[in-house]
């Protein structure tokens, strides 16, 4: 189904990588990226790869679509508030209760909270998505990428980089993570401000 494939990444959902002010290189309070089921461990240095596609049943697809329709309606009407975000998250939670391995629904729990800047709830939901056993590694990588964006917004740049890098180890085609890492490299280039510097050249490459 088209909509099931149309998973809204955290970057797109929140308008791109925007700093929340006071950005530092600290990663205080950022847990280490967890291993991805069926993928590479969070501290692995293996080459980037794309995990095999996971099949979705008709029941899973239908239940997910019901929750996603509510989410999409709020997106189109720009009617997000705390109550709407909580309702959307609850609907995806209900999907997870019936289909505990449907990682994409758990990712959308986090994205629902992120719509209203409920970062603590979004973080918990995304972390939970990375811990679903026997789920979809590609969607788990998406949760890692979304966590990278969340930590970036909180000024935890080292943590953001770590999560984006680990997301790409499982899904090397994850655009949001690549854009996030590029934004960090560009920021470093601005700080160096010397095209002749070797570090600047490395970052440019």
């Amino acid at each position: 189904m088209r909509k099931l494939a149309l998973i809204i990444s955290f970057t797109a959902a929140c308008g791109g990588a925007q700093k929340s002010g006071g950005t530092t290189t600290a990663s205080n309070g950022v847990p280490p990226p967890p291993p991805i089921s069926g993928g590479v461990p969070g501290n692995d240095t293996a080459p980037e790869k794309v995990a095999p596609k996971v099949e979705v049943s008709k029941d899973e697809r239908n239940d997910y679509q019901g929750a996603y329709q509510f989410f999409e309606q709020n997106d189109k009407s720009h009617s997000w508030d705390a109550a709407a975000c909580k309702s959307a998250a609850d609907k995806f939670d209900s999907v997870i209760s019936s289909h505990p391995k449907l990682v994409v629904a758990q990712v959308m729990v986090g994205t629902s909270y992120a719509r209203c800047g409920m970062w603590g709830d979004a973080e918990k939901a995304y972390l939970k998505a990375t811990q679903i056993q026997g789920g979809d590694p590609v969607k788990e990588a998406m949760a890692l990428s979304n966590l990278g964006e969340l930590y970036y917004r909180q000024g935890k740049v080292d943590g953001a980089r770590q999560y984006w890098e680990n997301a790409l180890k499982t899904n090397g085609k994850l655009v949001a993570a690549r854009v996030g890492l590029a934004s960090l490299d560009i920021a470093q280039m601005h700080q160096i401000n010397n095209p002749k510097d070797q570090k600047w050249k490395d970052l440019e490459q």
Side-chain angles (χ1 to χ4, degrees), residues 133-147:
Q133 297 299 313
D136 185 340
V138 172
K139 300 304 186 295
E140 292 172 39
M142 187 177 296
L144 287 178
S145 179
N146 291 356
L147 282 162

Side-chain angles (χ1 to χ4, degrees), residues 26-152:
S27 56
N28 297 337
V30 176
I36 293 295
S37 62
V40 295
N43 59 356
D44 203 303
T45 57
E48 298 166 1
K49 64 178 183 178
V50 177
K53 181 179 179 181
V54 175
E55 294 299 325
V56 177
S57 72
K58 183 178 180 180
D59 286 344
E60 288 175 324
R61 184 180 296 111
N62 289 341
D63 289 348
Y64 175 86
Q65 292 297 343
Y68 187 81
Q69 284 175 3
F70 177 82
F71 181 94
E72 190 175 42
Q73 287 169 3
N74 281 280
D75 248 7
K76 288 181 177 179
S77 62
H78 305 286
S79 56
W80 290 110
D81 56 22
C85 288
K86 182 65 166 60
S87 293
D90 287 345
K91 289 182 183 297
F92 287 113
D93 262 329
S94 180
V95 176
I96 284 292
S97 295
S98 300
H99 311 289
K101 292 185 179 180
L102 192 60
V103 180
V104 63
Q106 185 61 46
V107 171
M108 289 304 296
V109 173
T111 302
S112 297
Y113 284 126
R115 276 292 195 268
C116 294
M118 302 167 72
W119 308 128
D121 291 322
E123 178 183 25
K124 291 177 183 177
Y126 288 139
L127 285 171
K128 187 175 180 180
T130 69
Q131 297 163 358
I132 295 177
Q133 297 299 313
D136 185 340
V138 172
K139 300 304 186 295
E140 292 172 39
M142 187 177 296
L144 287 178
S145 179
N146 291 356
L147 282 162
E149 174 72 13
L150 186 152
Y151 295 135
Y152 180 79

